[in-house]
Every structure is written in structure tokens, then in C-alpha cells.
Amino acid sequence: QCLIVTAIRDPAYWLPSMFLQSLGANLFEESSGGCNLDEWPSKETLLYDFRKYVQNNFDLAFSVIPALLNEFGGGGLNEQFKIMDTNGGYSLLGPAPPQS
């Protein structure tokens, strides 16, 4: 028997994080633990690119999560968002049903 456990994070937190990761390593200076200001995009460019990123990844945020909740018996998005609000942005789901 296999135990499958998954966790979801509020998209308000992980979508911006994934977007920043998608910008690439050249925008970050590992030695200083911060941004490479010489390469960092303007505020306007970041906002424009983030909007495009959300549009291109809408299915990831708003169709994959409900399917995951359904598979793991996690209830609805509203219920999970309330749980995430009390748990610092996270919700633990599992174990998966036997047919998974």
C-alpha cells in the first residue's frame, strides 16, 4: 500500500514566486543573495510580464488545483483558502484514495 500526500499553497503566494523564478538566474546575484540591479527589469516591465505570465498559467492555478482537491477529497477552493489563511498559505491534503 502506498501513501500519497500532497500540499497546496495559495496562488496569491506561489504564482508570483514561480514568476520570479521564471525570470532566470541572470537576474539574481547569488553572492549578495539579491537582485542584479544592472539586469533587473523596470516596474512597468515586471507588471506587464507578470500579467502575461498569469494569463499563460491560468490553467495551472485554476484548473489543476480543483482537480487535485477532488482527487484528494479536499473540498472546494473556498474551504481550502480559509485553511490556507489560517496556516500561513498552506493546506495539507491526503492520503489519496486507494484508486489513485
Side-chain angles (χ1 to χ4, degrees):
Q1 183 166 321
C2 180
L3 176 66
I4 302 171
V5 177
T6 190
I8 58 173
R9 191 170 177 212
D10 186 338
Y13 297 102
W14 60 259
L15 263 174
S17 178
M18 287 177 55
F19 167 69
L20 290 175
Q21 290 175 22
S22 77
L23 294 178
N26 64 315
L27 294 181
F28 301 95
E29 291 181 343
E30 188 174 334
S31 61
S32 67
C35 304
N36 178 350
L37 296 178
D38 293 332
E39 301 289 330
W40 198 254
S42 69
K43 178 181 176 180
E44 293 79 16
T45 300
L46 276 175
L47 288 173
Y48 176 80
D49 290 346
F50 181 65
R51 284 187 193 108
K52 284 190 344 188
Y53 182 84
V54 170
Q55 290 170 349
N56 292 337
N57 291 283
F58 184 83
D59 284 345
L60 176 66
F62 299 102
S63 67
V64 173
I65 291 176
L68 182 68
L69 291 174
N70 186 46
E71 180 71 18
F72 282 78
L77 280 174
N78 287 336
E79 178 184 348
Q80 286 299 315
F81 286 150
K82 288 176 187 174
I83 293 169
M84 287 185 245
D85 286 344
T86 60
N87 290 339
Y90 291 91
S91 175
L92 183 66
L93 304 172
Q99 68 272 19
S100 291

